[in-house]
Amino acid sequence: FLQTMSTSNLNLDDDVTSKYSSQYEAHIDPFSDFNRKERQRKYVNLNSAERVVLNLGKMILSDKIARQAVFFYSIVLHMLVFLVLYKFAVSEDCIQLSDCNDAYHAHMKEFHP
């Protein structure tokens, strides 16, 4: 009699049992209920700007393309900042400022020892 039972039916029963038992235990778990209520309470206490930032963050983090877009956007912004800083470091205005700085130090040494 036992040999006539297929193993696929046993696996199917185990899958269904494990699925519904985990759902049942999650439903009666007081910690998950407490966690859900605390999250809701904290969300209600946020002001509107914080809610917008939270929802925007969840939206960006949940989508792969949005995460990549934010990553490349931040790379481009960093490159732009570095380019502007480099431009200021080697520009004519900055060289004149360094000349002014040297003249100031020479003046301080000469007239205010």
Side-chain angles (χ1 to χ4, degrees):
F1 176 74
L2 292 176
Q3 294 174 349
T4 60
M5 292 184 64
S6 68
T7 58
S8 64
N9 286 340
L10 290 176
N11 290 339
L12 181 63
D13 288 343
D14 288 341
D15 291 340
V16 170
T17 303
S18 66
K19 174 185 172 186
Y20 287 113
S21 66
S22 64
Q23 285 181 357
Y24 174 74
E25 289 186 18
H27 179 68
I28 63 168
D29 185 21
F31 296 110
S32 64
D33 188 41
F34 174 75
N35 186 15
R36 183 181 49 80
K37 287 179 182 177
E38 280 297 305
R39 283 178 175 249
Q40 184 64 29
R41 183 185 63 80
K42 288 180 182 179
Y43 185 78
V44 168
N45 289 337
L46 295 176
N47 63 32
S48 59
E50 291 170 338
R51 286 184 194 169
V52 168
V53 170
L54 178 66
N55 290 330
L56 185 64
K58 283 182 181 179
M59 182 184 71
I60 289 171
L61 291 175
S62 67
D63 187 24
K64 180 181 179 180
I65 295 173
R67 286 191 307 266
Q68 289 175 346
V70 168
F71 174 75
F72 288 116
Y73 178 74
S74 66
I75 294 294
V76 168
L77 282 180
H78 278 84
M79 291 174 64
L80 179 66
V81 167
F82 292 144
L83 181 68
V84 168
L85 289 175
Y86 178 76
K87 176 99 171 109
F88 279 136
V90 297
S91 70
E92 185 69 28
D93 295 335
C94 188
I95 292 171
Q96 290 175 356
L97 282 176
S98 66
D99 290 341
C100 291
N101 192 18
D102 292 339
Y104 170 76
H105 286 295
H107 169 78
M108 291 303 285
K109 284 181 182 178
E110 182 179 343
F111 295 106
H112 309 284

